[in-house]
């Protein structure tokens, strides 16, 4: 390596300390976090995509007319589970994350899948920092609208105990608002809320009411894959699963030699890994075994082998609470 490049890299690492330049930026004052709930922002361009794979049928509507559109144009079987997926920042219905969900649930019987596209408010338009700030500002209002949409489905006969809400990154935090809104309107809670590496920047250090947490559904589970980076470090769910190395870095995600870019690429890789692990678990009959443990060091040192064991992933039975650790490498999955 050129000695001047080496000196630059070394000085960058030392200047940013152990956190690294990318993480330092994510949690710096350069990002303005606005959780103002009095702005009454409109989110009518949010789109709802409804899939009935069993009958090869799908519909899409703007959110304001989606509940009426689905219930009047389709005879819903309310005995089926409704899987309701809310993706994160910079998402779009045509992207890979959404496709992973379509693929995972396309062959699962007796379910409906709904995917939300809120990209009109959460795209990268305007630059990375400005667009993320805008996305955070809209999160509450998108969540309110989604909660109302689900409540309208409930009003038309869809039972709360058949609704499973899943979010990734910013979508997980949006579900905190949606679950609260649903309860405020119906007096009930959706069956389950699943957060896949809920967004950390602007949320980890925010008020609890701005975060996905226990109480926004009958059972709330959170999966950590890039905790302290793009994902939150907050442990607020009924159960929190930490995947692989402290729920921070996933086995196939490497930083390279250039601190900022390498750290950024590795964080994105680990952050997205949560979606991959979860969608793979849909057809993994016994899920991933997870052990209750106080720390990752105790878990990796084998000190928790006799502790409570549960299943992480789509087939989590929902009867355990606390902090659990998971190794996907036991299944040959990186």
């Amino acid at each position: 390596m050129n000695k001047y490049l080496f000196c630059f890299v070394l000085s960058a690492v030392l200047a940013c300390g152990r956190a690294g330049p990318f993480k330092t930026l994510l949690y710096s004052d350069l990002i303005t976090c606005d959780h103002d709930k009095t702005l009454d922002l409109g989110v009518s361009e949010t789109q709802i995509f409804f899939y009935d794979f069993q009958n090869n049928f799908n519909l899409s509507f703007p959110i304001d007319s989606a509940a009426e559109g689905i219930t009047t144009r389709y005879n819903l079987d309310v005995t089926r589970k409704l899987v309701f997926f809310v993706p994160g920042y910079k998402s779009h219905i045509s992207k890979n994350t959404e496709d992973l969900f379509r693929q995972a649930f396309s062959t699962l019987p007796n379910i409906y899948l709904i995917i939300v596209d809120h990209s009109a408010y959460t795209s990268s338009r305007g630059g990375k920092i400005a667009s993320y700030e805008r996305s955070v500002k809209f999160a509450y209002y998108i969540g309110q609208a989604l909660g109302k949409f689900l409540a309208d489905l409930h009003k038309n006969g869809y039972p709360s105990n058949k609704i499973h809400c899943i979010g990734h990154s910013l979508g997980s935090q949006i579900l905190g608002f949606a679950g609260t809104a649903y309860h405020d309107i119906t007096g009930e809670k959706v069956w389950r809320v699943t957060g896949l590496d809920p967004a950390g920047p602007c949320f980890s250090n925010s008020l609890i009411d701005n975060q996905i947490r226990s109480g926004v559904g009958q059972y709330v589970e959170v999966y950590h894959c890039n905790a302290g980076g793009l994902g939150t470090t907050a442990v607020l769910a009924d159960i929190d699963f930490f995947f692989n190395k402290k729920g921070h870095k996933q086995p196939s995600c490497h930083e390279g030699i250039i601190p900022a870019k390498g750290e950024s690429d590795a964080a994105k890789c680990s952050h997205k890994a949560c979606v991959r692990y979860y969608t793979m678990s849909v057809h993994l009959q016994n899920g991933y075994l997870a052990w209750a443990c106080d720390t990752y060091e105790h878990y990796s040192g084998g000190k928790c082998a006799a502790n409570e064991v549960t299943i992480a992933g789509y087939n989590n039975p929902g009867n355990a609470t606390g902090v659990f650790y998971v190794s996907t490498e036991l299944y040959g999955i990186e």
Side-chain angles (χ1 to χ4, degrees), residues 72-220:
T72 57
R73 292 185 57 183
Y74 199 68
N75 185 24
L76 287 174
D77 178 356
V78 297
T79 66
R80 291 202 205 179
K81 180 187 290 186
L82 172 62
V83 177
F84 184 75
F85 177 57
V86 185
Y89 167 60
K90 295 199 298 184
S91 60
H92 187 273
I93 192 63
S94 65
K95 287 193 173 181
N96 184 58
T97 293
E98 288 78 356
D99 199 42
L100 284 175
F101 266 82
R102 281 189 290 267
Q103 291 176 22
F105 289 99
S106 63
T107 58
L108 203 65
N110 300 316
I111 66 106
Y112 296 121
L113 174 67
I114 287 178
I115 299 179
V116 177
D117 185 340
H118 47 65
S119 59
Y121 310 99
T122 59
S123 72
S124 59
R125 185 183 72 255
K128 291 181 179 179
I129 292 179
S131 63
Y132 187 71
E133 291 174 340
R134 182 187 68 244
S135 301
V136 170
K137 182 184 292 187
F138 272 95
Y140 168 75
Y141 300 96
I142 296 169
Q144 287 281 297
L146 296 182
K148 182 181 183 302
F149 162 73
L150 290 172
D152 287 343
L153 286 185
H154 177 69
K155 183 179 178 181
N156 281 278
Y158 221 95
S160 299
N161 63 5
K162 291 292 183 180
I163 301 175
H164 182 182
C165 297
I166 306 171
H168 174 234
S169 191
L170 183 66
S172 301
Q173 304 293 9
I174 287 172
L175 283 178
F177 300 126
T180 301
Y182 182 87
H183 178 258
D184 289 345
I185 296 169
T186 66
E188 300 181 10
K189 296 179 181 181
V190 298
W191 173 70
R192 182 170 295 188
V193 176
T194 300
L196 306 178
D197 217 28
C202 287
F203 291 96
S204 286
N205 300 321
S206 182
L207 297 175
I208 290 176
D209 286 353
N210 292 328
Q211 302 183 58
I212 184 173
R213 61 200 181 279
S214 176
V216 299
Q218 295 176 32
Y219 184 77
V220 181

Side-chain angles (χ1 to χ4, degrees), residues 262-274:
E263 187 188 6
S264 170
D265 290 347
K268 292 173 185 176
C269 174
S270 292
H271 195 47
K272 292 176 181 178
C274 255

